[in-house]
Amino acid sequence: MALERTLSMIKPDATARNITGAIIAKLEGAGLRVIAQKRVKWSEAQAQKFYEVHKERPFYNDLVAFMTSGPIVMQVLEGEDAVARNREVMGATNPQEADEGTIRAEFAENIERNSVHGSDSAENAAIEIALCFDESEIVG
């Protein structure tokens, strides 16, 4: 196993319900260490840039609107195989398909309001982390 970093975001549906602590506890309980964290409210331009890989997808505009609808909590997580471990603890994108005990099975409202985002590869994690954090903010 390799020590990795990944980006995790707690989405506006979860921050609105004040369940960020419960989500972070699940991440830490899975052996992931929070080495950077901040609560922000994205502008439309920030959300568009982050999700530009989905620009041609039919859900893009709704996703941007949702991600700018309230505060989000962005984190850099570190741990053994952090990308895969984070995705495992998040659960399937569709909460109806998520395994019991995962974040999305427990907290997601639906497929769009699914409480969390996590990088899908080490390469994308590096890109997403650089988009969201200055190196000086990652303090471990």
Side-chain angles (χ1 to χ4, degrees), residues 26-93:
K26 282 195 165 289
L27 296 168
E28 291 178 331
L32 295 164
R33 186 167 170 247
V34 178
I35 62 169
Q37 179 173 275
K38 60 185 171 182
R39 184 181 181 101
V40 301
K41 182 148 186 335
W42 265 350
S43 68
E44 186 174 333
Q46 287 170 308
Q48 287 172 334
K49 179 153 182 66
F50 188 85
Y51 288 109
E52 71 184 344
V53 304
H54 299 301
K55 191 171 188 163
E56 302 305 318
R57 309 281 298 269
F59 59 81
Y60 174 75
N61 289 330
D62 289 340
L63 178 60
V64 168
F66 170 58
M67 291 302 292
T68 58
S69 69
I72 58 177
V73 175
M74 293 189 281
Q75 303 169 310
V76 179
L77 305 176
E78 187 175 73
E80 294 292 324
D81 294 321
V83 172
R85 186 170 292 182
N86 184 42
R87 294 190 70 74
E88 184 178 315
V89 75
M90 285 190 318
T93 302

Side-chain angles (χ1 to χ4, degrees), residues 93-125:
T93 302
N94 183 344
Q96 293 179 334
E97 299 170 3
D99 290 340
E100 187 176 327
T102 63
I103 292 168
R104 288 177 173 150
E106 202 166 312
F107 300 116
E109 296 176 313
N110 57 49
I111 195 166
E112 287 93 19
R113 300 173 66 82
N114 63 15
S115 300
V116 288
H117 163 88
S119 303
D120 63 3
S121 68
E123 296 77 24
N124 282 340

Side-chain angles (χ1 to χ4, degrees), residues 11-33:
K11 295 180 178 181
D13 62 298
T15 62
R17 291 179 286 141
N18 201 32
I19 57 173
T20 57
I23 290 171
I24 294 166
K26 282 195 165 289
L27 296 168
E28 291 178 331
L32 295 164
R33 186 167 170 247

